[in-house]
Amino acid sequence: MKTNIGIYSIIMLLIATSCSVKYSFTGASISPDIKTFSVAYIDNQAPTKQATLSDVFTEGLKEKLRTGTGLSMVTSFGDLQFEGAIVEYATNYLGVTASQQAASNRLTITVKILFTNTKEPTKNFEKRFSRYYDFDATQNLSTIETAAIKQISDQIIEDIFLEAVANW
C-alpha cells in the first residue's frame, strides 16, 4: 500500500512540474520560453502635458512586470515588448449644480500600448487603456493631481499587465 502511495506521489509531482506555463500569485501565466521583457519609454503625446506622467507610467510598468512576473528586464528586444504613448490627459466637467456651476470634474488619462510577445505572436495587441478620477469642482486640479495620477496609473498598469500576461 505504501508503495502505491509513493508511486502515485511521484507521478503527481512529475505531472505538476512538467506543466508548460508558469503561474504566479499576481495572476500571470507565462510560457517558460519567455525569459525577458522590455519597456520602451512611454512618451506623453497628449495635447495637455504633465511633466512627470511619462516617467510615472514607464517606471510603474517596469516595476509591475519585475515584481509580478519573475522575468528579467532588458533595455530592448525582450521576449515581451511594451511600447506606448500617453494619448489623453484631460479634465472635463461632469455635473452641473442648480446654479449652473460645475459640481464635479473628471481627470481622464488614456495610454495606447503596443504589446509584442515574440514567442507567442497570437497574444500581441495594440490597445488603448483609459481610466479616470472624479473630484469635487471646488478642488483645484493641482491639489489632487499627484494622488489622481497615482490612482489612475496604478489602475491602467494593472489593466495592461492583466491583458499581456494573465490569460483570464
Side-chain angles (χ1 to χ4, degrees):
M1 183 74 166
K2 286 184 180 182
T3 306
N4 288 341
I5 292 173
I7 292 172
Y8 178 72
S9 297
I10 292 171
I11 290 172
M12 291 307 292
L13 181 63
L14 289 173
I15 290 171
T17 58
S18 67
C19 290
S20 63
V21 175
K22 290 190 288 187
Y23 290 97
S24 75
F25 292 112
T26 62
S29 57
I30 301 169
S31 168
D33 295 344
I34 296 171
K35 307 289 185 208
T36 62
F37 73 90
S38 58
V39 177
Y41 188 71
I42 299 174
D43 191 36
N44 189 348
Q45 297 176 0
T48 302
K49 305 292 185 209
Q50 199 287 336
T52 63
L53 205 52
S54 290
D55 291 337
V56 167
F57 273 97
T58 304
E59 295 308 313
L61 185 55
K62 286 177 182 178
E63 183 62 21
K64 179 66 178 177
L65 291 164
R66 253 192 313 264
T67 60
T69 64
L71 301 175
S72 298
M73 185 174 70
V74 294
T75 55
S76 57
F77 305 111
D79 297 329
L80 303 181
Q81 301 169 13
F82 295 83
E83 303 172 55
I86 298 158
V87 295
E88 180 183 16
Y89 182 86
T91 305
N92 299 305
Y93 301 117
L94 272 186
V96 179
T97 65
S99 62
Q100 300 300 311
Q101 297 290 332
S104 59
N105 293 324
R106 173 173 285 175
L107 173 62
T108 303
I109 301 175
T110 304
V111 179
K112 183 174 77 173
I113 295 293
L114 173 62
F115 170 70
T116 305
N117 183 327
T118 62
K119 305 293 185 180
E120 300 172 283
T122 58
K123 295 184 178 182
N124 295 353
F125 64 80
E126 183 171 359
K127 184 175 179 179
R128 289 175 178 250
F129 296 87
S130 187
R131 291 291 186 137
Y132 60 86
Y133 181 93
D134 293 339
F135 59 100
D136 192 277
T138 61
Q139 293 178 299
N140 188 324
L141 176 61
S142 64
T143 61
I144 58 94
E145 192 171 34
T146 301
I149 288 172
K150 173 76 171 123
Q151 181 177 322
I152 293 170
S153 65
D154 287 349
Q155 292 170 341
I156 290 176
I157 288 166
E158 184 70 20
D159 292 345
I160 294 166
F161 178 83
L162 291 174
E163 184 78 19
V165 300
N167 296 321
W168 296 108

